[in-house]
Amino acid sequence: MPFAASTLLDRLGRPGDLRLGLSPRGGHPTLPTGVEALDRMLGGGLPRGRLVELTGRRSTGRTGLACAIAARATRHGEVVGWVDPTDALDPETVMTTGIAPTRVLWVRPRTEHDAPKAAEYLLGAGGFGLVVLDLAEAAPHLRIPWPRLTRAAERTRTTFLVLAPERRAGSYAALGLELSERRAHWSRGPGRPTLLDGVTAALTVARDRLGVPGRRLTVRHACA
């Protein structure tokens, strides 16, 4: 794993060292999400060098929002690491979100218990703008070394995004985003099959160490 991460970063010139998007709140650097309303609400985007939790039940748009964030990052020269311990990420869906596949290191650990170590390797590599750890389908008893992961993200100024059904990182998370109240939208037409046109969900800032929690908006994604 360390070899694969270093090889990718060296080949791309370690673009993650170029920090884009300074936040107006206290000058803390941010990673824009690409969702204009969310970036305004967060003062620029997700904080760099911090742990961010994105939680919500299945089909509330968790993966869709994470993909949108990753797509925006890769379009602007960032390298993204995605740890997928339960093989939940669909490559075809990823391609439709606009993620540049050559700028993503997709890691599928042998077991879900290897996922935290894989995330720690990526965070410590020092060239990823965003590292995603998808715990959506992982066992709830999985032991996560939150202090080590948080310190690794801080050292390399990498945005560490954790996807889960509910909050698990506690006070180690600088920002907690919670999706709820899912609503599916369908496209219908004469002589055409009914297709899923997107998912709308309420997004609440459940925790914000750098700002004001409790703010809320509605987001829509192409996938859940």
Side-chain angles (χ1 to χ4, degrees):
M1 174 62 58
F3 174 78
S6 297
T7 300
L8 175 66
L9 294 170
D10 289 339
R11 179 160 55 86
L12 295 175
R14 294 186 179 269
D17 291 338
L18 301 176
R19 298 302 170 184
L20 307 176
L22 290 179
S23 167
R25 52 175 181 177
H28 192 88
T30 60
L31 178 78
T33 66
V35 180
E36 186 176 345
L38 179 58
D39 287 337
R40 284 199 307 269
M41 188 168 70
L42 296 178
L46 306 182
R48 292 187 185 266
R50 304 298 176 96
L51 190 159
V52 178
E53 281 190 298
L54 176 58
T55 62
R57 299 192 308 273
R58 181 181 296 185
S59 299
T60 52
R62 218 172 32 210
T63 302
L65 181 55
C67 285
I69 295 168
R72 197 275 178 195
T74 60
R75 286 197 305 269
H76 287 76
E78 302 276 2
V79 182
V80 174
W82 195 300
V83 182
D84 183 18
T86 58
D87 198 17
L89 196 62
D90 177 20
E92 292 186 5
T93 299
V94 167
M95 295 299 292
T96 64
T97 63
I99 294 176
T102 57
R103 308 197 76 83
V104 177
L105 181 61
W106 181 19
V107 181
R108 289 178 291 177
R110 290 188 179 89
T111 71
E112 61 183 27
H113 296 284
D114 295 324
K117 178 57 70 175
E120 189 173 1
Y121 279 142
L122 297 183
L123 290 168
F128 290 91
L130 172 69
V131 169
V132 179
L133 174 58
D134 188 353
L135 298 177
E137 304 299 329
H141 62 268
L142 183 65
R143 294 176 62 86
I144 311 291
W146 298 117
R148 289 210 314 268
L149 293 171
T150 302
R151 287 194 297 269
E154 289 175 350
R155 284 195 304 270
T156 57
R157 300 178 69 194
T158 302
T159 298
F160 181 34
L161 180 62
V162 177
L163 312 181
E166 56 189 20
R167 292 180 58 192
R168 298 181 61 174
S171 61
Y172 291 105
L175 177 66
L177 303 176
E178 184 176 299
L179 287 161
S180 60
E181 299 180 12
R182 168 190 179 272
R183 180 183 176 188
H185 299 270
W186 305 90
S187 62
R188 298 178 175 87
R192 293 187 303 169
T194 300
L195 301 173
L196 179 64
D197 191 41
V199 174
T200 298
L203 180 66
T204 303
V205 180
R207 174 180 174 82
D208 191 350
R209 203 187 300 166
L210 302 174
V212 181
R215 289 159 294 168
R216 185 176 174 131
L217 56 81
T218 299
V219 292
R220 182 167 178 169
H221 313 291
C223 62

PDB file of all heavy atoms in Angstrom, residues 103-133:
ATOM      1  N   ARG A 103      -6.653  10.180 -11.270  1.00  0.00           N
ATOM      2  CA  ARG A 103      -6.236  10.925 -10.078  1.00  0.00           C
ATOM      3  C   ARG A 103      -6.822  10.327  -8.809  1.00  0.00           C
ATOM      4  O   ARG A 103      -6.867  10.990  -7.771  1.00  0.00           O
ATOM      5  CB  ARG A 103      -6.645  12.398 -10.212  1.00  0.00           C
ATOM      6  CG  ARG A 103      -6.197  13.064 -11.508  1.00  0.00           C
ATOM      7  CD  ARG A 103      -6.256  14.558 -11.418  1.00  0.00           C
ATOM      8  NE  ARG A 103      -5.135  15.083 -10.642  1.00  0.00           N
ATOM      9  CZ  ARG A 103      -3.925  15.306 -11.146  1.00  0.00           C
ATOM     10  NH1 ARG A 103      -3.670  15.045 -12.408  1.00  0.00           N
ATOM     11  NH2 ARG A 103      -2.968  15.784 -10.396  1.00  0.00           N
ATOM     12  N   VAL A 104      -7.289   9.095  -8.896  1.00  0.00           N
ATOM     13  CA  VAL A 104      -7.869   8.425  -7.732  1.00  0.00           C
ATOM     14  C   VAL A 104      -7.155   7.107  -7.475  1.00  0.00           C
ATOM     15  O   VAL A 104      -6.950   6.318  -8.397  1.00  0.00           O
ATOM     16  CB  VAL A 104      -9.377   8.157  -7.939  1.00  0.00           C
ATOM     17  CG1 VAL A 104      -9.949   7.391  -6.744  1.00  0.00           C
ATOM     18  CG2 VAL A 104     -10.144   9.458  -8.124  1.00  0.00           C
ATOM     19  N   LEU A 105      -6.760   6.893  -6.225  1.00  0.00           N
ATOM     20  CA  LEU A 105      -6.241   5.596  -5.800  1.00  0.00           C
ATOM     21  C   LEU A 105      -7.361   4.907  -5.031  1.00  0.00           C
ATOM     22  O   LEU A 105      -7.699   5.304  -3.921  1.00  0.00           O
ATOM     23  CB  LEU A 105      -5.007   5.757  -4.919  1.00  0.00           C
ATOM     24  CG  LEU A 105      -4.365   4.453  -4.447  1.00  0.00           C
ATOM     25  CD1 LEU A 105      -3.896   3.606  -5.624  1.00  0.00           C
ATOM     26  CD2 LEU A 105      -3.183   4.735  -3.512  1.00  0.00           C
ATOM     27  N   TRP A 106      -7.950   3.906  -5.641  1.00  0.00           N
ATOM     28  CA  TRP A 106      -9.070   3.168  -5.057  1.00  0.00           C
ATOM     29  C   TRP A 106      -8.505   1.954  -4.333  1.00  0.00           C
ATOM     30  O   TRP A 106      -7.910   1.069  -4.952  1.00  0.00           O
ATOM     31  CB  TRP A 106     -10.040   2.762  -6.170  1.00  0.00           C
ATOM     32  CG  TRP A 106     -11.263   2.016  -5.718  1.00  0.00           C
ATOM     33  CD1 TRP A 106     -11.799   1.956  -4.481  1.00  0.00           C
ATOM     34  CD2 TRP A 106     -12.122   1.232  -6.560  1.00  0.00           C
ATOM     35  NE1 TRP A 106     -12.937   1.199  -4.468  1.00  0.00           N
ATOM     36  CE2 TRP A 106     -13.153   0.738  -5.740  1.00  0.00           C
ATOM     37  CE3 TRP A 106     -12.121   0.918  -7.921  1.00  0.00           C
ATOM     38  CZ2 TRP A 106     -14.164  -0.079  -6.238  1.00  0.00           C
ATOM     39  CZ3 TRP A 106     -13.124   0.118  -8.417  1.00  0.00           C
ATOM     40  CH2 TRP A 106     -14.139  -0.377  -7.580  1.00  0.00           C
ATOM     41  N   VAL A 107      -8.672   1.907  -3.018  1.00  0.00           N
ATOM     42  CA  VAL A 107      -8.090   0.856  -2.193  1.00  0.00           C
ATOM     43  C   VAL A 107      -9.189  -0.056  -1.663  1.00  0.00           C
ATOM     44  O   VAL A 107     -10.118   0.414  -0.999  1.00  0.00           O
ATOM     45  CB  VAL A 107      -7.304   1.463  -1.002  1.00  0.00           C
ATOM     46  CG1 VAL A 107      -6.679   0.364  -0.161  1.00  0.00           C
ATOM     47  CG2 VAL A 107      -6.240   2.426  -1.502  1.00  0.00           C
ATOM     48  N   ARG A 108      -9.076  -1.344  -1.974  1.00  0.00           N
ATOM     49  CA  ARG A 108     -10.010  -2.341  -1.452  1.00  0.00           C
ATOM     50  C   ARG A 108      -9.228  -3.300  -0.564  1.00  0.00           C
ATOM     51  O   ARG A 108      -8.622  -4.258  -1.052  1.00  0.00           O
ATOM     52  CB  ARG A 108     -10.687  -3.077  -2.605  1.00  0.00           C
ATOM     53  CG  ARG A 108     -11.676  -2.224  -3.372  1.00  0.00           C
ATOM     54  CD  ARG A 108     -12.291  -2.961  -4.529  1.00  0.00           C
ATOM     55  NE  ARG A 108     -11.309  -3.204  -5.578  1.00  0.00           N
ATOM     56  CZ  ARG A 108     -11.558  -3.890  -6.683  1.00  0.00           C
ATOM     57  NH1 ARG A 108     -12.753  -4.408  -6.884  1.00  0.00           N
ATOM     58  NH2 ARG A 108     -10.628  -4.055  -7.603  1.00  0.00           N
ATOM     59  N   PRO A 109      -9.198  -3.054   0.753  1.00  0.00           N
ATOM     60  CA  PRO A 109      -8.431  -3.902   1.665  1.00  0.00           C
ATOM     61  C   PRO A 109      -8.916  -5.349   1.640  1.00  0.00           C
ATOM     62  O   PRO A 109     -10.075  -5.627   1.305  1.00  0.00           O
ATOM     63  CB  PRO A 109      -8.685  -3.264   3.039  1.00  0.00           C
ATOM     64  CG  PRO A 109      -9.145  -1.872   2.741  1.00  0.00           C
ATOM     65  CD  PRO A 109      -9.890  -1.956   1.452  1.00  0.00           C
ATOM     66  N   ARG A 110      -8.026  -6.267   2.003  1.00  0.00           N
ATOM     67  CA  ARG A 110      -8.401  -7.687   2.024  1.00  0.00           C
ATOM     68  C   ARG A 110      -9.539  -7.928   3.002  1.00  0.00           C
ATOM     69  O   ARG A 110     -10.447  -8.718   2.742  1.00  0.00           O
ATOM     70  CB  ARG A 110      -7.181  -8.538   2.413  1.00  0.00           C
ATOM     71  CG  ARG A 110      -6.105  -8.600   1.351  1.00  0.00           C
ATOM     72  CD  ARG A 110      -5.030  -9.606   1.722  1.00  0.00           C
ATOM     73  NE  ARG A 110      -4.006  -9.688   0.703  1.00  0.00           N
ATOM     74  CZ  ARG A 110      -2.924  -8.932   0.679  1.00  0.00           C
ATOM     75  NH1 ARG A 110      -2.723  -8.032   1.648  1.00  0.00           N
ATOM     76  NH2 ARG A 110      -2.033  -9.055  -0.275  1.00  0.00           N
ATOM     77  N   THR A 111      -9.510  -7.268   4.145  1.00  0.00           N
ATOM     78  CA  THR A 111     -10.583  -7.371   5.129  1.00  0.00           C
ATOM     79  C   THR A 111     -10.911  -5.966   5.624  1.00  0.00           C
ATOM     80  O   THR A 111     -10.098  -5.040   5.501  1.00  0.00           O
ATOM     81  CB  THR A 111     -10.195  -8.241   6.338  1.00  0.00           C
ATOM     82  OG1 THR A 111      -9.229  -7.542   7.142  1.00  0.00           O
ATOM     83  CG2 THR A 111      -9.605  -9.578   5.883  1.00  0.00           C
ATOM     84  N   GLU A 112     -12.083  -5.790   6.188  1.00  0.00           N
ATOM     85  CA  GLU A 112     -12.460  -4.469   6.692  1.00  0.00           C
ATOM     86  C   GLU A 112     -11.567  -4.035   7.851  1.00  0.00           C
ATOM     87  O   GLU A 112     -11.404  -2.837   8.101  1.00  0.00           O
ATOM     88  CB  GLU A 112     -13.918  -4.454   7.120  1.00  0.00           C
ATOM     89  CG  GLU A 112     -14.271  -5.417   8.230  1.00  0.00           C
ATOM     90  CD  GLU A 112     -15.757  -5.399   8.545  1.00  0.00           C
ATOM     91  OE1 GLU A 112     -16.555  -5.082   7.646  1.00  0.00           O
ATOM     92  OE2 GLU A 112     -16.109  -5.703   9.691  1.00  0.00           O
ATOM     93  N   HIS A 113     -10.945  -4.999   8.527  1.00  0.00           N
ATOM     94  CA  HIS A 113     -10.058  -4.651   9.637  1.00  0.00           C
ATOM     95  C   HIS A 113      -8.761  -4.002   9.148  1.00  0.00           C
ATOM     96  O   HIS A 113      -8.049  -3.362   9.936  1.00  0.00           O
ATOM     97  CB  HIS A 113      -9.739  -5.904  10.457  1.00  0.00           C
ATOM     98  CG  HIS A 113     -10.947  -6.502  11.114  1.00  0.00           C
ATOM     99  ND1 HIS A 113     -11.526  -5.968  12.238  1.00  0.00           N
ATOM    100  CD2 HIS A 113     -11.709  -7.570  10.772  1.00  0.00           C
ATOM    101  CE1 HIS A 113     -12.585  -6.682  12.579  1.00  0.00           C
ATOM    102  NE2 HIS A 113     -12.725  -7.653  11.707  1.00  0.00           N
ATOM    103  N   ASP A 114      -8.443  -4.162   7.852  1.00  0.00           N
ATOM    104  CA  ASP A 114      -7.266  -3.509   7.286  1.00  0.00           C
ATOM    105  C   ASP A 114      -7.561  -2.086   6.828  1.00  0.00           C
ATOM    106  O   ASP A 114      -6.644  -1.352   6.462  1.00  0.00           O
ATOM    107  CB  ASP A 114      -6.750  -4.314   6.086  1.00  0.00           C
ATOM    108  CG  ASP A 114      -6.237  -5.689   6.482  1.00  0.00           C
ATOM    109  OD1 ASP A 114      -5.651  -5.800   7.573  1.00  0.00           O
ATOM    110  OD2 ASP A 114      -6.428  -6.642   5.703  1.00  0.00           O
ATOM    111  N   ALA A 115      -8.826  -1.685   6.817  1.00  0.00           N
ATOM    112  CA  ALA A 115      -9.204  -0.374   6.288  1.00  0.00           C
ATOM    113  C   ALA A 115      -8.575   0.796   7.064  1.00  0.00           C
ATOM    114  O   ALA A 115      -8.070   1.743   6.440  1.00  0.00           O
ATOM    115  CB  ALA A 115     -10.721  -0.242   6.258  1.00  0.00           C
ATOM    116  N   PRO A 116      -8.602   0.806   8.397  1.00  0.00           N
ATOM    117  CA  PRO A 116      -7.994   1.930   9.109  1.00  0.00           C
ATOM    118  C   PRO A 116      -6.503   2.081   8.800  1.00  0.00           C
ATOM    119  O   PRO A 116      -6.019   3.206   8.646  1.00  0.00           O
ATOM    120  CB  PRO A 116      -8.231   1.585  10.587  1.00  0.00           C
ATOM    121  CG  PRO A 116      -9.426   0.692  10.575  1.00  0.00           C
ATOM    122  CD  PRO A 116      -9.295  -0.120   9.333  1.00  0.00           C
ATOM    123  N   LYS A 117      -5.782   0.963   8.712  1.00  0.00           N
ATOM    124  CA  LYS A 117      -4.357   1.035   8.396  1.00  0.00           C
ATOM    125  C   LYS A 117      -4.148   1.575   6.994  1.00  0.00           C
ATOM    126  O   LYS A 117      -3.229   2.369   6.745  1.00  0.00           O
ATOM    127  CB  LYS A 117      -3.732  -0.347   8.536  1.00  0.00           C
ATOM    128  CG  LYS A 117      -2.245  -0.394   8.174  1.00  0.00           C
ATOM    129  CD  LYS A 117      -1.414   0.572   9.008  1.00  0.00           C
ATOM    130  CE  LYS A 117      -1.319   0.120  10.447  1.00  0.00           C
ATOM    131  NZ  LYS A 117      -0.399   1.008  11.221  1.00  0.00           N
ATOM    132  N   ALA A 118      -4.998   1.161   6.030  1.00  0.00           N
ATOM    133  CA  ALA A 118      -4.892   1.681   4.669  1.00  0.00           C
ATOM    134  C   ALA A 118      -5.109   3.187   4.655  1.00  0.00           C
ATOM    135  O   ALA A 118      -4.384   3.931   3.977  1.00  0.00           O
ATOM    136  CB  ALA A 118      -5.910   0.981   3.770  1.00  0.00           C
ATOM    137  N   ALA A 119      -6.114   3.665   5.399  1.00  0.00           N
ATOM    138  CA  ALA A 119      -6.367   5.103   5.464  1.00  0.00           C
ATOM    139  C   ALA A 119      -5.182   5.843   6.087  1.00  0.00           C
ATOM    140  O   ALA A 119      -4.808   6.932   5.637  1.00  0.00           O
ATOM    141  CB  ALA A 119      -7.633   5.372   6.275  1.00  0.00           C
ATOM    142  N   GLU A 120      -4.575   5.239   7.093  1.00  0.00           N
ATOM    143  CA  GLU A 120      -3.429   5.872   7.737  1.00  0.00           C
ATOM    144  C   GLU A 120      -2.249   5.990   6.783  1.00  0.00           C
ATOM    145  O   GLU A 120      -1.536   6.998   6.762  1.00  0.00           O
ATOM    146  CB  GLU A 120      -3.031   5.076   8.983  1.00  0.00           C
ATOM    147  CG  GLU A 120      -1.982   5.767   9.832  1.00  0.00           C
ATOM    148  CD  GLU A 120      -1.721   5.036  11.143  1.00  0.00           C
ATOM    149  OE1 GLU A 120      -2.340   3.976  11.382  1.00  0.00           O
ATOM    150  OE2 GLU A 120      -0.888   5.530  11.925  1.00  0.00           O
ATOM    151  N   TYR A 121      -2.021   4.961   5.955  1.00  0.00           N
ATOM    152  CA  TYR A 121      -0.966   5.015   4.945  1.00  0.00           C
ATOM    153  C   TYR A 121      -1.200   6.172   3.974  1.00  0.00           C
ATOM    154  O   TYR A 121      -0.278   6.922   3.650  1.00  0.00           O
ATOM    155  CB  TYR A 121      -0.917   3.707   4.154  1.00  0.00           C
ATOM    156  CG  TYR A 121      -0.187   2.575   4.839  1.00  0.00           C
ATOM    157  CD1 TYR A 121      -0.654   1.268   4.737  1.00  0.00           C
ATOM    158  CD2 TYR A 121       0.974   2.804   5.569  1.00  0.00           C
ATOM    159  CE1 TYR A 121       0.005   0.221   5.357  1.00  0.00           C
ATOM    160  CE2 TYR A 121       1.641   1.766   6.195  1.00  0.00           C
ATOM    161  CZ  TYR A 121       1.150   0.467   6.085  1.00  0.00           C
ATOM    162  OH  TYR A 121       1.806  -0.564   6.698  1.00  0.00           O
ATOM    163  N   LEU A 122      -2.432   6.294   3.498  1.00  0.00           N
ATOM    164  CA  LEU A 122      -2.733   7.337   2.530  1.00  0.00           C
ATOM    165  C   LEU A 122      -2.593   8.722   3.162  1.00  0.00           C
ATOM    166  O   LEU A 122      -2.035   9.643   2.557  1.00  0.00           O
ATOM    167  CB  LEU A 122      -4.149   7.156   1.980  1.00  0.00           C
ATOM    168  CG  LEU A 122      -4.423   5.871   1.194  1.00  0.00           C
ATOM    169  CD1 LEU A 122      -5.854   5.877   0.660  1.00  0.00           C
ATOM    170  CD2 LEU A 122      -3.449   5.692   0.058  1.00  0.00           C
ATOM    171  N   LEU A 123      -3.114   8.876   4.360  1.00  0.00           N
ATOM    172  CA  LEU A 123      -3.026  10.165   5.038  1.00  0.00           C
ATOM    173  C   LEU A 123      -1.574  10.562   5.284  1.00  0.00           C
ATOM    174  O   LEU A 123      -1.217  11.743   5.204  1.00  0.00           O
ATOM    175  CB  LEU A 123      -3.785  10.121   6.365  1.00  0.00           C
ATOM    176  CG  LEU A 123      -5.313  10.045   6.274  1.00  0.00           C
ATOM    177  CD1 LEU A 123      -5.906   9.721   7.637  1.00  0.00           C
ATOM    178  CD2 LEU A 123      -5.891  11.349   5.735  1.00  0.00           C
ATOM    179  N   GLY A 124      -0.738   9.580   5.584  1.00  0.00           N
ATOM    180  CA  GLY A 124       0.664   9.866   5.874  1.00  0.00           C
ATOM    181  C   GLY A 124       1.514  10.062   4.643  1.00  0.00           C
ATOM    182  O   GLY A 124       2.678  10.479   4.755  1.00  0.00           O
ATOM    183  N   ALA A 125       0.976   9.769   3.453  1.00  0.00           N
ATOM    184  CA  ALA A 125       1.770   9.864   2.225  1.00  0.00           C
ATOM    185  C   ALA A 125       2.114  11.305   1.872  1.00  0.00           C
ATOM    186  O   ALA A 125       3.115  11.577   1.235  1.00  0.00           O
ATOM    187  CB  ALA A 125       1.030   9.202   1.069  1.00  0.00           C
ATOM    188  N   GLY A 126       1.274  12.253   2.271  1.00  0.00           N
ATOM    189  CA  GLY A 126       1.611  13.659   2.106  1.00  0.00           C
ATOM    190  C   GLY A 126       1.328  14.267   0.761  1.00  0.00           C
ATOM    191  O   GLY A 126       1.878  15.313   0.445  1.00  0.00           O
ATOM    192  N   GLY A 127       0.492  13.680  -0.072  1.00  0.00           N
ATOM    193  CA  GLY A 127       0.199  14.284  -1.362  1.00  0.00           C
ATOM    194  C   GLY A 127      -1.259  14.217  -1.757  1.00  0.00           C
ATOM    195  O   GLY A 127      -1.625  14.697  -2.826  1.00  0.00           O
ATOM    196  N   PHE A 128      -2.090  13.639  -0.914  1.00  0.00           N
ATOM    197  CA  PHE A 128      -3.509  13.522  -1.222  1.00  0.00           C
ATOM    198  C   PHE A 128      -4.253  14.752  -0.715  1.00  0.00           C
ATOM    199  O   PHE A 128      -4.124  15.132   0.444  1.00  0.00           O
ATOM    200  CB  PHE A 128      -4.106  12.270  -0.586  1.00  0.00           C
ATOM    201  CG  PHE A 128      -3.638  10.987  -1.216  1.00  0.00           C
ATOM    202  CD1 PHE A 128      -2.523  10.325  -0.742  1.00  0.00           C
ATOM    203  CD2 PHE A 128      -4.309  10.456  -2.305  1.00  0.00           C
ATOM    204  CE1 PHE A 128      -2.080   9.155  -1.329  1.00  0.00           C
ATOM    205  CE2 PHE A 128      -3.877   9.277  -2.908  1.00  0.00           C
ATOM    206  CZ  PHE A 128      -2.757   8.624  -2.418  1.00  0.00           C
ATOM    207  N   GLY A 129      -5.058  15.348  -1.598  1.00  0.00           N
ATOM    208  CA  GLY A 129      -5.896  16.452  -1.145  1.00  0.00           C
ATOM    209  C   GLY A 129      -7.069  15.963  -0.335  1.00  0.00           C
ATOM    210  O   GLY A 129      -7.541  16.643   0.575  1.00  0.00           O
ATOM    211  N   LEU A 130      -7.549  14.746  -0.665  1.00  0.00           N
ATOM    212  CA  LEU A 130      -8.718  14.169  -0.005  1.00  0.00           C
ATOM    213  C   LEU A 130      -8.517  12.673   0.151  1.00  0.00           C
ATOM    214  O   LEU A 130      -8.120  11.989  -0.790  1.00  0.00           O
ATOM    215  CB  LEU A 130      -9.972  14.434  -0.851  1.00  0.00           C
ATOM    216  CG  LEU A 130     -11.277  13.753  -0.418  1.00  0.00           C
ATOM    217  CD1 LEU A 130     -11.780  14.350   0.894  1.00  0.00           C
ATOM    218  CD2 LEU A 130     -12.344  13.895  -1.505  1.00  0.00           C
ATOM    219  N   VAL A 131      -8.787  12.164   1.341  1.00  0.00           N
ATOM    220  CA  VAL A 131      -8.810  10.722   1.602  1.00  0.00           C
ATOM    221  C   VAL A 131     -10.187  10.384   2.164  1.00  0.00           C
ATOM    222  O   VAL A 131     -10.636  10.992   3.140  1.00  0.00           O
ATOM    223  CB  VAL A 131      -7.717  10.280   2.590  1.00  0.00           C
ATOM    224  CG1 VAL A 131      -7.935   8.834   3.042  1.00  0.00           C
ATOM    225  CG2 VAL A 131      -6.341  10.412   1.936  1.00  0.00           C
ATOM    226  N   VAL A 132     -10.862   9.428   1.507  1.00  0.00           N
ATOM    227  CA  VAL A 132     -12.200   8.996   1.917  1.00  0.00           C
ATOM    228  C   VAL A 132     -12.099   7.607   2.538  1.00  0.00           C
ATOM    229  O   VAL A 132     -11.481   6.704   1.964  1.00  0.00           O
ATOM    230  CB  VAL A 132     -13.161   8.944   0.713  1.00  0.00           C
ATOM    231  CG1 VAL A 132     -14.544   8.476   1.155  1.00  0.00           C
ATOM    232  CG2 VAL A 132     -13.244  10.301   0.032  1.00  0.00           C
ATOM    233  N   LEU A 133     -12.693   7.422   3.699  1.00  0.00           N
ATOM    234  CA  LEU A 133     -12.801   6.115   4.336  1.00  0.00           C
ATOM    235  C   LEU A 133     -14.284   5.782   4.440  1.00  0.00           C
ATOM    236  O   LEU A 133     -15.022   6.424   5.179  1.00  0.00           O
ATOM    237  CB  LEU A 133     -12.165   6.124   5.725  1.00  0.00           C
ATOM    238  CG  LEU A 133     -12.330   4.851   6.570  1.00  0.00           C
ATOM    239  CD1 LEU A 133     -11.750   3.626   5.861  1.00  0.00           C
ATOM    240  CD2 LEU A 133     -11.690   5.027   7.950  1.00  0.00           C
TER     241      LEU A 133
END
